[in-house]
Amino acid sequence: MVLSALLSGCSFRFVYNHLDWWTNWYLDDYVTLNEQQQQNFDHEFEQLHLWHRTTQLPVYVQQLKSLKIAINEELNEQQVTDNLAKFIQHWQNFLMAAEPRLQLLAFNLSTEQKQQLLLALQEANQENIDDIEDLSQQEWREERSDDQKDQLKSWFGKLTADQKSQVTLMSKNFQRSLLSRMVYRQRWTHQFGELLNGELPDHQFKFEFYRLFVNGRALRDEKLNAISANNNQVFAKIFVYMVNTANDKQRKRINKKIDKVIGDLEYLINND
């Protein structure tokens, strides 16, 4: 949620300070905890939230400050892809911190709760599969291009006619990843189901849970990795193009947006 807000350029003080509510609302869609489990989850989440606020938000601030300097000097595509890679690493850091807390909760789920969780995961996968059939390739390209322009507009303000035309053209190089991602998610869900239903001893359950929860990206196939790398490179080209063609008003806008996010982060760091 934090990274989504960060990438969208939105202010997220309210969201961040109410992550306990958002997380429980999201969790309720997947599994119903009993009173003791809920108390344990709330306690562990509070500790995880504090860890994230004190150790991770300062890292985000430094990254954004460096990105702002690059934008105002001479940003290149490698710097953009490096920043995208850092976002992935931030997520991995979070998974590593959350894993031991969620592992104990998962181990102590009842048979009924395990089945409820797996069914919810399968239904979520099916909804995504249904989305594949909703859009033709051409419709997907048009929607992807519109989404990209909307995202850029939120950062830079109104795009010029030339910028809109060029972004539309460059966006044609994006590749559709949903089908490959669903293969990956189904593979992950299948192995997670085997883990939950396997009645493994504690030490083996911990090992397998860590493998899936922290290192789950290893289940992605080469096709998905190639698509992701391509799309990151396409985005990098588009973003560098926008920075290089930004007029004074657009440049002022993106600097203001970055400063706003940095200000929000620094406020959250200092006000818990």
Side-chain angles (χ1 to χ4, degrees):
M1 292 179 185
V2 175
L3 289 179
S4 296
L6 191 62
L7 288 167
S8 69
C10 299
S11 172
F12 49 90
R13 291 187 192 183
F14 177 84
V15 174
Y16 192 84
N17 280 330
H18 295 82
L19 276 179
D20 54 344
W21 184 88
W22 288 103
T23 303
N24 276 295
W25 175 76
Y26 185 76
L27 182 65
D28 284 344
D29 287 343
Y30 287 88
V31 64
T32 303
L33 303 181
N34 63 39
E35 184 176 351
Q36 185 60 54
Q37 289 171 327
Q38 187 65 58
Q39 289 178 1
N40 292 339
F41 176 82
D42 290 343
H43 172 74
E44 293 296 342
F45 183 83
E46 182 180 354
Q47 297 303 309
L48 182 63
H49 196 195
L50 179 61
W51 165 85
H52 189 269
R53 186 191 298 271
T54 57
T55 69
Q56 300 304 290
L57 295 190
V59 176
Y60 301 170
V61 168
Q62 292 307 310
Q63 181 178 348
L64 284 172
K65 287 181 176 179
S66 296
L67 178 60
K68 181 185 175 184
I69 291 173
I71 287 174
N72 288 284
E73 292 183 353
E74 190 173 350
L75 182 71
N76 58 52
E77 293 173 19
Q78 187 60 52
Q79 288 172 307
V80 177
T81 55
D82 286 347
N83 272 274
L84 294 175
K86 287 179 181 178
F87 282 126
I88 294 176
Q89 186 57 54
H90 295 330
W91 177 242
Q92 285 297 119
N93 291 340
F94 172 79
L95 292 179
M96 291 178 68
E99 184 274 333
R101 306 172 190 277
L102 293 180
Q103 174 267 129
L104 184 60
L105 174 64
F107 185 76
N108 290 315
L109 290 176
S110 68
T111 300
E112 181 180 358
Q113 288 172 321
K114 291 176 182 178
Q115 296 309 309
Q116 180 190 10
L117 174 58
L118 291 174
L119 179 60
L121 289 172
Q122 291 163 1
E123 290 177 346
N125 287 344
Q126 186 59 51
E127 288 179 5
N128 284 304
I129 292 173
D130 293 341
D131 288 341
I132 298 174
E133 302 173 353
D134 288 343
L135 294 177
S136 68
Q137 184 68 10
Q138 180 61 31
E139 289 171 333
W140 176 83
R141 287 187 182 279
E142 292 175 357
E143 184 177 281
R144 184 67 181 82
S145 175
D146 289 342
D147 288 345
Q148 184 63 80
K149 283 179 285 191
D150 287 342
Q151 187 183 57
L152 292 170
K153 182 179 178 181
S154 73
W155 294 338
F156 291 92
K158 186 177 180 180
L159 276 61
T160 67
D162 285 345
Q163 288 171 337
K164 289 180 181 178
S165 177
Q166 187 63 21
V167 171
T168 298
L169 181 63
M170 298 173 76
S171 294
K172 291 182 179 180
N173 292 315
F174 282 119
Q175 296 176 7
R176 203 169 185 176
S177 64
L178 183 55
L179 183 58
S180 294
R181 281 191 287 114
M182 288 315 306
V183 170
Y184 157 61
R185 288 188 59 172
Q186 288 176 320
R187 184 181 298 121
W188 188 94
T189 302
H190 175 73
Q191 293 192 21
F192 186 60
E194 289 185 329
L195 172 63
L196 288 184
N197 294 323
E199 299 184 358
L200 299 176
D202 180 61
H203 69 281
Q204 191 173 353
F205 183 92
K206 288 180 179 179
F207 176 84
E208 291 297 327
F209 189 87
Y210 184 93
R211 179 181 67 83
L212 287 172
F213 192 80
V214 176
N215 297 326
R217 289 176 65 87
L219 297 177
R220 294 160 56 107
D221 59 28
E222 287 303 314
K223 181 179 180 180
L224 178 55
N225 289 334
I227 292 174
S228 297
N230 172 79
N231 290 349
N232 285 345
Q233 194 62 49
V234 173
F235 172 78
K237 289 179 182 295
I238 292 174
F239 192 78
V240 169
Y241 163 77
M242 281 299 305
V243 169
N244 289 339
T245 62
N247 56 39
D248 289 343
K249 186 176 182 180
Q250 290 172 330
R251 192 169 293 277
K252 182 178 180 180
R253 163 97 173 196
I254 192 170
N255 276 283
K256 185 177 180 180
K257 296 288 283 187
I258 294 175
D259 286 340
K260 178 64 168 62
V261 177
I262 291 174
D264 282 347
L265 288 170
E266 292 179 334
Y267 174 87
L268 291 169
I269 292 169
N270 297 311
N271 297 272
D272 57 0

